[in-house]
Amino acid sequence: RRDTVTGEVFRVCDCRQPKMFNSQPGECEMNKFDDMMYFLSFLRPHFSQVIAVDRDFALFHRAWCVAELYVAHALRMRQSMQVMSKSNFAEHHEELQQLRVEDMSSSNPADKEMILNKIQDKD
């Protein structure tokens, strides 16, 4: 499998544990991040999310990253965004205003579809 953004081949963990993907939803861990966030929010009401933004603001174009931000927002978690600098933020400010969740990318098209189905208000 390749990363659809970078084109790089994903390295698979070389441990001996079986790898579970979304084709095995019951065993897959990737599709349970929102359940974990609900659990953490319930267990620790003051749990907060730190958003470490990369230099190119690429995380805002990745479906899984945006989905996690959405769930945290929906749970009313405190969110703190860390960027490289004010000028780096200013450089991407207009791009951020034009983002649409439907345009996000995902290595697996099924992941993107699943994520979009969970987001009620896409505007």
Side-chain angles (χ1 to χ4, degrees):
R1 295 182 174 202
R2 292 187 179 273
D3 184 302
T4 57
V5 174
T6 66
E8 295 177 13
V9 175
F10 286 120
R11 293 186 315 172
V12 178
C13 172
D14 59 1
C15 73
R16 298 185 192 271
Q17 293 295 321
K19 309 304 179 249
M20 306 299 173
F21 298 98
N22 280 350
S23 57
Q24 301 164 294
E27 294 82 19
C28 179
E29 294 176 5
M30 291 174 51
N31 63 2
K32 294 174 182 58
F33 80 93
D34 48 350
D35 293 331
M36 181 56 73
M37 290 180 71
Y38 285 108
F39 177 73
L40 288 170
S41 176
F42 175 77
L43 189 66
R44 301 276 190 252
H46 300 292
F47 186 80
S48 63
Q49 180 183 51
V50 176
I51 306 158
V53 181
D54 59 291
R55 175 179 301 173
D56 297 323
F57 282 60
L59 84 88
F60 295 105
H61 298 279
R62 300 293 298 170
W64 278 109
C65 296
V66 172
E68 186 175 320
L69 297 175
Y70 171 80
V71 169
H73 177 76
L75 291 172
R76 301 185 191 282
M77 273 187 194
R78 193 173 138 258
Q79 293 173 294
S80 173
M81 186 169 74
Q82 303 297 314
V83 297
M84 282 189 52
S85 65
K86 287 181 181 180
S87 63
N88 182 243
F89 178 76
E91 181 182 330
H92 294 278
H93 184 259
E94 194 155 327
E95 166 193 344
L96 293 173
Q97 290 181 318
Q98 304 301 317
L99 288 178
R100 291 174 10 102
V101 68
E102 297 92 330
D103 297 333
M104 302 299 130
S105 61
S106 175
S107 302
N108 182 347
D111 288 351
K112 181 177 176 180
E113 182 179 343
M114 178 189 69
I115 290 165
L116 287 173
N117 287 334
K118 288 183 178 187
I119 299 175
Q120 296 169 0
D121 182 9
K122 295 177 182 71
D123 292 324

